[in-house]
């Protein structure tokens, strides 16, 4: 029997319609009240006969709600082999949830996404956000996903512990899941679903465009800031040396090496402390400066080609070289040098409130 997780923050009567339909399909249901408040208690009372209801005393975010439900399933529903996640606002049809379960049941170990058609029927805010996130995800992971923001997902219980170990408390958790699975080589499958919105502004969504987008993109934004400041240091040092040195091949090479060494040490310290939050370890340092050596070689090679063979001025050539190497550096540092090991079992939090057989 599959189990469906429904994170709920200030839901309306749509929640009751969804849970009733899932119940008729034979699903078990875990609803997480993510700090909705007393005003919304009647809505949860309406569904308690067909659901297990878990509660957060305050709003902790969608990612935290999903992990609370996963922890409960791990401890109390060990016999469930299929797990699904869907939103409570009516943007997902229950029949689409069942389509995902049917497909996920045939997979060894995969995350199955219900992907919407990103067309004119999708509100502009959602369409723009989806396109940006999709592009960022493909650049960062190398995996193409049609709808990174979909909340309709299904997977086998073998992935449960891995999903519990992934960081993120709010909307960024869903993106972090896709990034972690792509990094681990776990297949991400797609099943087309209906695209449903109540109005052009998608007013029933609790997604905060600015703050939640920053949470989703925070890792790559921090890396960009670190890399950009390192680039500025590198570029300023290189330019200062070039003011006093002739622009011969040997001296351009020497200036580039000197600037790169200083900026590489600065970048390593910044990435350890602010971007990937790791301690300065010998193994990490060796990998990082090994990468720095490779990038230095490529940097000089590309710079030499642009300046000496293509005749481009040394200053724009340096800018072009740095842009080419930015993405390469991000992928290697994210996936290899500063990779994080998965943590052990998570503890169940905030599992207070009524329960019902479901």
């Amino acid at each position: 029997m599959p189990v469906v997780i429904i994170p709920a923050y200030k839901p309306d009567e749509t929640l009751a319609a969804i849970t009733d339909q899932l119940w008729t399909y034979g699903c078990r249901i875990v609803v997480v009240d993510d700090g909705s408040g007393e005003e919304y208690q009647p809505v949860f009372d309406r569904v308690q006969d067909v659901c297990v209801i878990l509660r957060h005393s305050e709003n902790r975010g969608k990612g935290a709600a999903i992990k609370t439900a996963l922890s409960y399933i791990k401890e109390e529903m060990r016999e469930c082999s299929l797990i699904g996640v869907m939103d409570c606002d009516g943007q997902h049809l229950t029949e689409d949830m069942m389509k995902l379960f049917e497909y996920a049941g045939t997979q060894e170990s995969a995350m199955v996404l219900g992907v919407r058609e990103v067309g004119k029927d999708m509100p502009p805010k959602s369409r723009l956000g989806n396109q940006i996130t999709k592009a960022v995800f493909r650049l960062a992971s190398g995996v193409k996903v049609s709808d990174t923001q979909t909340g309709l997902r299904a997977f086998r219980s073998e992935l449960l512990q891995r999903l519990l170990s992934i960081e993120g408390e709010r909307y960024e958790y869903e993106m972090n899941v896709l990034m972690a699975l792509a990094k681990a080589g776990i297949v991400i499958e797609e099943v087309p679903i209906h695209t449903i919105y109540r109005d052009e502004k998608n007013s029933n969504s609790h997604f905060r465009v600015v703050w939640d987008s920053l949470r989703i993109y925070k890792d790559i934004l921090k890396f960009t800031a670190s890399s950009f400041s390192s680039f500025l240091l590198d570029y300023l040092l290189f330019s200062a040396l070039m003011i006093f040195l002739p622009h011969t091949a040997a001296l351009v090479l020497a200036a580039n090496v000197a600037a790169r060494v200083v900026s590489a040490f600065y970048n390593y310290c910044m990435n350890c402390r602010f971007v990937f939050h790791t301690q300065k370890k010998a193994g990490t340092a060796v990998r990082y400066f090994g990468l720095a050596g490779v990038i230095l070689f490529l940097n000089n090679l590309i710079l030499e080609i642009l300046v000496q063979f293509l005749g481009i001025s040394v200053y724009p050539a340096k800018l072009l070289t740095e842009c080419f190497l930015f993405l390469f550096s991000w992928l290697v540092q994210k996936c290899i040098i500063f990779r994080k090991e998965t943590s052990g079992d998570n503890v169940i939090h905030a599992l207070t409130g009524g329960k019902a057989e479901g």
Side-chain angles (χ1 to χ4, degrees):
M1 180 182 294
V3 57
V4 179
I5 296 169
I6 305 179
Y9 177 61
K10 297 183 177 181
D12 58 23
E13 290 300 324
T14 304
L15 177 62
I18 293 171
T19 55
D20 287 345
Q21 292 169 17
L22 290 172
W23 179 258
T24 62
Y25 279 120
C27 296
R28 301 182 73 178
I29 310 157
V30 178
V31 173
V32 181
D33 173 8
D34 188 28
S36 301
E38 291 298 323
E39 178 185 351
Y40 293 87
Q41 188 59 45
V43 178
F44 292 103
D45 290 342
R46 165 71 176 81
V47 303
Q48 66 180 352
D49 289 338
V50 297
C51 303
V52 170
I53 300 179
L54 310 177
R55 287 188 172 87
H56 291 167
S57 58
E58 59 184 18
N59 178 249
R60 292 169 50 194
K62 187 177 183 181
I66 291 172
K67 286 193 277 190
T68 290
L70 290 172
S71 295
Y72 179 87
I73 293 168
K74 177 185 175 184
E75 298 298 328
E76 306 293 339
M77 296 181 173
R78 298 178 182 180
E79 73 282 4
C80 292
S81 60
L82 286 175
I83 302 169
V85 182
M86 68 183 300
D87 294 338
C88 69
D89 54 12
Q91 289 192 32
H92 305 141
L93 299 181
T94 52
E95 50 261 44
D96 284 333
M97 181 79 266
M98 303 314 295
K99 283 171 58 178
L100 264 66
F101 277 142
E102 182 178 359
Y103 189 81
T106 66
Q107 305 301 304
E108 285 290 330
S109 177
M111 173 64 69
V112 182
L113 306 180
V115 297
R116 303 159 295 179
E117 181 180 358
V118 184
K120 63 180 181 179
D121 292 334
M122 182 177 285
K125 178 180 72 174
S126 299
R127 184 165 63 249
L128 177 61
N130 209 311
Q131 294 287 10
I132 293 173
T133 308
K134 181 169 64 175
V136 170
F137 179 78
R138 187 169 188 181
L139 285 173
S141 70
V143 176
K144 182 179 180 181
V145 173
S146 302
D147 186 359
T148 57
Q149 294 182 315
T150 180
L152 191 67
R153 306 180 177 198
F155 50 91
R156 295 182 66 87
S157 57
E158 287 83 354
L159 289 181
L160 192 154
Q161 183 57 49
R162 184 183 293 272
L163 299 184
L164 276 171
S165 70
I166 295 172
E167 293 183 346
E169 295 292 296
R170 296 187 179 274
Y171 284 102
E172 78 277 8
Y173 173 72
E174 292 178 307
M175 174 65 84
N176 291 349
V177 165
L178 297 182
M179 289 289 290
L181 296 184
K183 173 182 171 182
I186 294 173
V187 176
I188 300 173
E189 300 281 5
E190 300 184 348
V191 173
I193 62 172
H194 295 84
T195 305
I196 302 172
Y197 293 98
R198 291 188 181 181
D199 52 53
E200 291 185 358
K201 296 182 179 180
N202 194 22
S203 58
N204 57 319
S205 173
H206 295 290
F207 184 84
R208 301 165 298 177
V209 176
V210 176
W211 293 111
D212 289 322
S213 294
L214 286 175
R215 286 180 177 273
I216 290 172
Y217 305 133
K218 66 178 182 179
D219 282 347
I220 197 167
L221 288 174
K222 287 190 294 183
F223 182 82
T224 301
S226 172
S227 296
F228 184 68
S229 62
S230 301
F231 156 73
L232 285 178
L233 177 61
D234 185 1
Y235 191 73
L236 290 173
L237 287 173
F238 176 79
S239 299
L241 291 170
M242 284 290 93
I243 291 174
F244 300 102
L245 297 174
H247 292 186
T248 64
L251 291 177
V252 168
L253 173 62
N256 196 41
V257 170
R260 174 62 59 174
V261 169
V262 174
S263 64
F265 180 75
Y266 164 82
N267 185 246
Y268 171 72
C269 295
M270 289 288 290
N271 286 351
C272 280
R273 184 170 181 181
F274 297 111
V275 181
F276 300 106
H277 303 290
T278 61
Q279 296 181 349
K280 296 175 185 176
K281 299 179 180 179
T284 301
V286 168
R287 290 195 298 268
Y288 176 85
F289 287 105
L291 171 66
V294 171
I295 290 179
L296 178 59
F297 171 77
L298 294 175
N299 193 293
N300 284 296
L301 178 63
I302 296 171
L303 188 62
E304 191 77 8
I305 291 172
L306 293 177
V307 174
Q308 301 298 329
F309 293 95
L310 298 183
I312 299 175
S313 174
V314 68
Y315 300 109
K318 177 68 171 175
L319 287 171
L320 288 171
T321 301
E322 296 299 333
C323 291
F324 291 152
L325 293 175
F326 171 81
L327 180 59
F328 173 73
S329 178
W330 155 257
L331 290 174
V332 174
Q333 291 188 56
K334 176 75 174 177
C335 299
I336 299 175
I337 296 175
F338 296 102
R339 68 182 184 274
K340 295 181 180 179
E341 302 297 332
T342 56
S343 59
D345 293 352
N346 284 37
V347 180
I348 301 175
H349 295 290
L351 298 185
T352 59
K355 299 179 183 179
E357 295 297 322

